[in-house]
Amino acid sequence: MDIDFPAPDFDLSPYTGWNRAHWEYILARMTYGYAKIAQRSGSPARVLYPDDRRGLPDAVDAIESFARIAAAWGAWLRNPANPATLTFEDSDLNLETLLRHALLDGTNPAKPSTYWGDIGHLDQRIVESADIALAIWMSRERVFNKMTSAEQEQIIAWLAQVDGKGTYTDNWILFTAMTQVV
């Protein structure tokens, strides 16, 4: 892989030399790696990194992988001036399509190979639901609002599972609150 990282620009950014081009590169590179694994698994809802196996069920590892990058995609898509498609290694990566596909596959219990699973008490899915809710909220004009009402209801029904679930009495309370707000 050729590394085409932008050169530092200390005039624009005197402390780090990093500017918008650097962050776009990082987002495109991370998305490229995610999308490559999603191609192997058949869905961006089920990305399992081979060196990150902690003995958790695949659904939990998969939702964790998705939720962390989905928040970045949501932030990118929040700005209407940002294109839906990033390019890395001559690959076009459509963030709207990746986000939509993952949300629909991950929240569909009729697809056991991609479903993230039901949310239980003290469940890691509670943590990840907050990042997913944030991604939905930030990208709503470009992704969620373009879905059918049935697709929206499926996603909201999955998120609504956090209601009444037990959490640790720390920042986990905020995860549930964020999900419920969305």
Side-chain angles (χ1 to χ4, degrees), residues 2 6 13 63 69 88 113 126 128:
D2 293 330
S13 181
I63 190 176
I69 198 161
F88 189 84
S113 65
I126 294 169
E128 309 313 328

Short mmCIF file of all heavy atoms in Angstrom, two decimals, residues 2 6 13 63 69 88 113 126 128:
data_model
loop_
_atom_site.label_atom_id
_atom_site.label_comp_id
_atom_site.label_asym_id
_atom_site.label_seq_id
_atom_site.Cartn_x
_atom_site.Cartn_y
_atom_site.Cartn_z
N ASP A 2 0.64 2.12 -0.93
CA ASP A 2 1.34 3.39 -0.95
C ASP A 2 0.73 4.30 0.11
O ASP A 2 -0.48 4.41 0.22
CB ASP A 2 1.19 4.07 -2.31
CG ASP A 2 1.91 3.31 -3.41
OD1 ASP A 2 2.92 2.66 -3.10
OD2 ASP A 2 1.45 3.37 -4.56
N PRO A 6 -0.86 13.40 3.64
CA PRO A 6 -0.52 14.79 3.31
C PRO A 6 0.67 15.30 4.11
O PRO A 6 0.88 14.93 5.27
CB PRO A 6 -1.79 15.56 3.69
CG PRO A 6 -2.88 14.55 3.75
CD PRO A 6 -2.23 13.26 4.13
N SER A 13 -1.33 25.16 10.59
CA SER A 13 -1.49 24.53 11.90
C SER A 13 -0.12 24.50 12.59
O SER A 13 0.62 23.52 12.48
CB SER A 13 -2.04 23.12 11.72
OG SER A 13 -2.23 22.50 12.95
N ILE A 63 -20.98 -5.04 16.76
CA ILE A 63 -21.61 -3.76 17.05
C ILE A 63 -20.58 -2.77 17.57
O ILE A 63 -20.64 -1.58 17.28
CB ILE A 63 -22.80 -3.89 18.04
CG1 ILE A 63 -23.57 -2.58 18.10
CG2 ILE A 63 -22.36 -4.36 19.38
CD1 ILE A 63 -24.81 -2.63 18.96
N ILE A 69 -16.88 3.59 14.47
CA ILE A 69 -16.64 4.31 13.22
C ILE A 69 -17.90 5.04 12.76
O ILE A 69 -17.82 6.08 12.10
CB ILE A 69 -16.07 3.39 12.12
CG1 ILE A 69 -15.43 4.25 11.03
CG2 ILE A 69 -17.13 2.45 11.57
CD1 ILE A 69 -14.46 3.50 10.14
N PHE A 88 -10.07 6.07 -1.21
CA PHE A 88 -8.79 5.61 -0.66
C PHE A 88 -8.36 4.38 -1.46
O PHE A 88 -9.18 3.50 -1.73
CB PHE A 88 -8.93 5.24 0.83
CG PHE A 88 -7.61 4.96 1.49
CD1 PHE A 88 -6.84 6.00 1.97
CD2 PHE A 88 -7.14 3.67 1.60
CE1 PHE A 88 -5.62 5.76 2.57
CE2 PHE A 88 -5.91 3.41 2.20
CZ PHE A 88 -5.15 4.46 2.68
N SER A 113 -27.34 -13.55 10.87
CA SER A 113 -25.90 -13.46 10.57
C SER A 113 -25.37 -12.05 10.71
O SER A 113 -24.16 -11.85 10.76
CB SER A 113 -25.63 -13.98 9.16
OG SER A 113 -26.25 -13.14 8.20
N ILE A 126 -25.64 -1.52 25.24
CA ILE A 126 -26.12 -0.24 25.77
C ILE A 126 -25.09 0.85 25.48
O ILE A 126 -25.44 1.95 25.04
CB ILE A 126 -26.41 -0.34 27.29
CG1 ILE A 126 -27.58 -1.29 27.55
CG2 ILE A 126 -26.68 1.04 27.89
CD1 ILE A 126 -27.79 -1.65 29.01
N GLU A 128 -22.76 0.83 23.13
CA GLU A 128 -22.65 1.06 21.69
C GLU A 128 -23.88 1.74 21.12
O GLU A 128 -23.79 2.48 20.13
CB GLU A 128 -22.39 -0.26 20.97
CG GLU A 128 -21.23 -1.08 21.53
CD GLU A 128 -19.95 -0.31 21.80
OE1 GLU A 128 -19.65 0.66 21.08
OE2 GLU A 128 -19.22 -0.68 22.75
#
